[in-house]
Amino acid sequence: MMAETRDFMGGPRLSVDGDAGPPARGPGVAGLVALANESDSSAARVSAACYFPRTMSTERLYFDDPFLHHFTARVVAHGTWNGATSVVLDRTAFYPEAGGQMADHGVLGGLAVRDVQVDDDGTVHHLLDVSGTGPLPAPGVELAGVVEAERRRAHMSLHTGQHMLSRALLDIAGAATVSSRLGATCTIDTDQDTLDEQRVAEAEAHVNAIIDADLPIRAFFPTPEELAALPLRRAPKVTDNIRVIQVGDFDVSPCGGTHCTRTGQVGMVRVLGVERYKGKGRVLFSAGPRARRELWDEAGTLRAMGRAFTCGPSEVPTVVEKLRRELTEAREALGAARARLAEHTAVELAARLDASADKHVVAVLDGAGPEQLRAVATRLTSRPDAVVFLAGRAPDGLCVLISRGATSSFGCGAFLKRAAEAAGGRGGGRPEHAEGRLPPGTDWPAIVTSLRG
């Protein structure tokens, strides 16, 4: 027995152990399975796996039945994908990530399937979680696979919903789909610079009407003649073995993904928003079980807000708008009160400033924040030679401000930096104005006096 490594054409490398077979030709997948079945010995199974052709496409069971969750398959080789060892089967019901749709998860041979990918030759790579469980299943071994049904079902609804929404956007908004992504956030990128939200809403309503009509959905591989006669929404990305998804007489599009078999199975399609992305219009959407779960969560939040506001869910917007108006009015009233207080405080401090020989004034204002300190300082420094040292006291510390008039040469920033260092706070600024914050309990007048000498 010897080890041989062969390459897929343009794809990852496969490593198998066994007798060397023909480098470019072999019995194919069916032949591999037949050879492996001729003997129960592991040597025969491994030897059969060595006849692995340079290009091999894994049989996709989900093409015929998207609701197939349980299957058996035989390991034909080990491959690599992005540096990780993969299991290659003769056939699979696991959908590999492709076309904007995420991969299936599940269990294969008792091991968790953490990812599924496909290379350029159509070979499907199953990436298994083998931490602490030993080696991967050997070539020739038959395995039972279980596809995670909930994840598959969600992907089917999202992908079918995307096809229908893309069709409706084209028909109603004149927006052709350039690309789509069916991940944690589902998006459709269009060829339009902007999207009219009313048109998008009409497209959404039309799609849900198609869902209610419960139209049949057909997945098939047409002959070249049949393909040429189909009204495809977009051109195929491949040139042979083209699979087509036909949604009643509504939409016909080439696609290799997993889809519902009737539109009613999608349940619903929701447009979550419209935005611009890279200069083009993008639609964010949801569908199926995910959309239903999101609606339940939103409805629960709305009911909770209704309970908090002692109103019904439908009255929440009215109550919120009323609170917004009241908050705006309260802020305006607070601003006016602060302005009056600042004016009153400035009048008192101005008298002290005028009586000061050096035109310096130090003050601590209880509860004053930075905005109030700035308002008072602005009024006081209208005197050209004034220098003001203000602090606002709050439970979490002092906000401090030093500012000077137009003709004063006092260095406010340098002084505050020294004060912050002395008090264990922080602060600084320009020569004409500086601000900072000092710890609770700081004696601001004492620090100013000591630093002024």
Side-chain angles (χ1 to χ4, degrees):
M1 304 290 288
M2 61 179 294
E4 181 178 346
T5 300
R6 307 192 184 103
D7 291 335
F8 286 121
M9 298 291 286
R13 297 176 64 82
L14 285 180
S15 299
V16 294
D17 292 327
D19 296 330
R25 293 182 177 272
V29 173
L32 291 176
V33 176
L35 286 170
N37 286 335
E38 288 178 359
S39 173
D40 291 333
S41 70
S42 59
R45 290 197 302 270
V46 172
S47 178
C50 290
Y51 289 93
F52 198 88
R54 291 179 63 84
T55 61
M56 188 198 78
S57 179
T58 308
E59 181 185 356
R60 319 287 183 88
L61 301 177
Y62 54 81
F63 280 164
D64 294 326
D65 184 4
F67 289 98
L68 177 65
H69 302 139
H70 297 264
F71 71 102
T72 58
R74 194 174 298 279
V75 179
V76 296
H78 292 165
T80 58
W81 183 269
N82 287 341
T85 305
S86 66
V87 169
V88 178
L89 304 174
D90 60 340
R91 61 181 195 161
T92 186
F94 286 101
Y95 180 81
E97 180 180 358
Q101 180 178 327
M102 298 295 98
D104 283 332
H105 290 170
V107 177
L108 182 61
L111 300 173
V113 178
R114 60 180 179 84
D115 195 12
V116 187
Q117 296 290 334
V118 62
D119 62 28
D120 293 340
D121 295 324
T123 301
V124 177
H125 296 262
H126 303 78
L127 302 173
L128 309 183
D129 186 358
V130 294
S131 55
T133 61
L136 288 171
V141 173
E142 186 174 84
L143 302 176
V146 181
V147 177
E148 184 182 317
E150 183 177 351
R151 181 180 174 90
R152 163 66 68 81
R153 186 68 180 81
H155 290 172
M156 289 166 59
S157 295
L158 290 168
H159 206 156
T160 307
Q162 177 265 307
H163 277 224
M164 292 193 292
L165 186 55
S166 288
R167 173 85 258 175
L169 288 171
L170 180 61
D171 291 348
I172 297 174
T177 296
V178 175
S179 65
S180 62
R181 182 67 174 170
L182 307 175
T185 299
C186 296
T187 59
I188 294 175
D189 292 325
T190 73
D191 62 351
Q192 299 296 299
D193 294 340
T194 58
L195 290 170
D196 185 298
E197 293 197 23
Q198 178 59 39
R199 293 287 189 183
V200 173
E202 292 173 11
E204 176 190 39
H206 187 56
V207 168
N208 283 295
I210 297 295
I211 291 172
D212 290 343
D214 196 27
L215 301 180
I217 299 174
R218 180 189 179 201
F220 64 105
F221 290 87
T223 65
E225 294 75 21
E226 291 172 331
L227 182 67
L230 291 174
L232 298 180
R233 174 168 44 84
R234 64 172 180 84
K237 296 180 180 179
V238 295
T239 57
D240 56 358
N241 293 325
I242 297 171
R243 183 170 180 256
V244 169
I245 304 299
Q246 182 170 3
V247 182
D249 58 359
F250 176 59
D251 182 61
V252 185
S253 179
C255 184
T258 55
H259 289 272
C260 299
T261 56
R262 300 192 69 87
T263 59
Q265 295 168 4
V266 177
M268 66 179 305
V269 168
R270 293 182 67 205
V271 170
L272 304 178
V274 175
E275 63 184 23
R276 279 176 61 82
Y277 178 75
K278 294 184 177 180
K280 298 295 183 181
R282 164 177 279 187
V283 176
L284 293 83
F285 75 97
S286 187
R290 180 184 295 183
R292 186 167 59 245
R293 184 171 60 250
E294 291 168 349
L295 273 179
W296 287 342
D297 291 344
E298 292 169 9
T301 300
L302 192 60
R303 287 194 296 269
M305 292 179 67
R307 289 192 295 270
F309 294 145
T310 62
C311 68
S314 62
E315 299 171 300
V316 168
T318 301
V319 173
V320 169
E321 182 57 33
K322 180 174 180 290
L323 289 174
R324 183 182 288 110
R325 289 197 305 269
E326 292 174 351
L327 179 60
T328 299
E329 293 169 358
R331 283 174 173 168
E332 291 173 351
L334 178 60
R338 283 175 171 171
R340 291 192 298 271
L341 178 60
E343 183 64 34
H344 178 73
T345 303
V347 169
E348 291 184 350
L349 293 179
R352 290 170 51 187
L353 188 63
D354 292 338
S356 170
D358 57 6
K359 302 304 178 185
H360 290 191
V361 65
V362 182
V364 177
L365 310 179
D366 286 333
E371 291 184 6
Q372 187 175 347
L373 295 183
R374 293 185 197 115
V376 173
T378 297
R379 288 167 172 78
L380 295 177
T381 54
S382 62
R383 293 164 171 77
D385 54 351
V387 179
V388 296
F389 304 82
L390 304 179
R393 190 183 304 281
D396 59 343
L398 274 72
C399 54
V400 294
L401 176 152
I402 305 175
S403 191
R404 74 185 190 191
T407 64
S408 174
S409 60
F410 187 83
C412 300
F415 188 92
L416 184 55
K417 184 176 180 181
R418 291 166 54 206
E421 292 174 351
R426 55 184 174 82
R430 305 183 306 276
E432 64 273 13
H433 185 93
E435 297 184 17
R437 178 167 290 276
L438 305 182
T442 300
D443 190 337
W444 178 241
I447 286 182
V448 173
T449 300
S450 66
L451 293 179
R452 288 172 59 198

